[in-house]
Amino acid sequence: EPEVTQTPSHQVTQMGQEVILRCVPISNHLYFYWYRQILGQKVEFLVSFYNNEISEKSEIFDDQFSVERPDGSNFTLKIRSTKLEDSAMYFCASMGPARFAFFGQGTRLTVV
Amino acid sequence: GQQVMQIPQYQHVQEGEDFTTYCNSSTTLSNIQWYKQRPGGHPVFLIQLVKSGEVKKQKRLTFQFGEAKKNSSLHITATQTTDVGTYFCAGPRQGGSEKLVFGKGTKLTVNP
C-alpha cells in the first residue's frame, strides 16, 4: 500500500534554532499538506501546496514557516526560528485523484 | 473562515454499546471525510461521502451526510475495544480549495 514517509520521527531543538521536517508524499499525488497537532488537540491546517506553489495557508503559517518541494519528490517544512509553542506533532499529507488525504506517521517536534 | 464542529468531544462507553459522533460545518461542503486516529498514531482515512443524504456502511460503522451537505454523523454499533481512538470529520468547502478543515474530533474510549 502506498504511504507518506516523514523524517525524522522525533526532533528536539533549542528555541531559536531552525528545523526542517521532511516528507516524501505518494508519487502520483498532486496536493500536499502540512498539519500540526498539539498534544491532545485537533489537527490544524498549516499549508497546502499544489503545482509547485502554496495554494493556501493558515494564520499559523507566518513568516517563520516555509515549504519547498526541492527535487520533485521531497516536500519540506522549515521553521526558521523555533519557539516553545511550536512544539507539536507535524503531519504531512498528500492527496491524489480520489480527493482524500494520506497522512504520514508524523514528526514530533520538541522545542526546549 | 470555515469551521467544522464535532460533538461530543469525549465519549466513554462499555464494550457492546453504540456510539455516535456528530459533525457540523459552517459552510456547505463538497464532500465529508472521516478519519480515525489511534492513540499515538496518525489520522487514517475511513470514508468519503459526496452526495447529499448519502449513507454508507463499513461493517459496524454507518456514515451519513446531511441533505444540506453541512452535517454528518458516524455511528458505531456494538463497540469493541479496537474502536478506541479519536474520530475526526473533515471536508473541503464547496467551491473552495482542496484544503481539508478538520473538526476537533471525538475521543472514544471503550471499557472491556
Side-chain angles (χ1 to χ4, degrees), chain B residues 50-109:
Chain B
V50 179
K51 298 177 188 170
S52 168
E54 189 170 10
V55 178
K56 285 189 177 179
K57 293 192 180 220
Q58 284 180 351
K59 297 182 183 177
R60 295 176 294 103
L61 277 62
T62 303
F63 303 84
Q64 292 189 327
F65 198 12
E67 295 290 339
K69 299 183 75 173
K70 294 177 78 171
N71 58 0
S72 180
S73 64
L74 157 59
H75 179 83
I76 302 178
T77 305
T79 53
Q80 299 174 358
T81 54
T82 52
D83 295 325
V84 162
T86 302
Y87 293 85
F88 293 97
C89 63
R93 184 166 44 102
Q94 186 161 307
S97 68
E98 296 292 342
K99 177 177 91 171
L100 281 179
V101 177
F102 280 75
K104 287 189 174 182
T106 296
K107 185 174 181 179
L108 173 65
T109 53

Side-chain angles (χ1 to χ4, degrees), chain A residues 95 98-101, chain B residues 23 31-35 45-49 88-92 100:
Chain A
M95 182 184 288
R99 295 292 196 266
F100 62 85
Chain B
C23 176
N31 65 80
I32 188 85
Q33 302 173 22
W34 286 91
Y35 293 78
F45 173 77
L46 292 177
I47 207 159
Q48 180 183 65
L49 303 166
F88 293 97
C89 63
L100 281 179

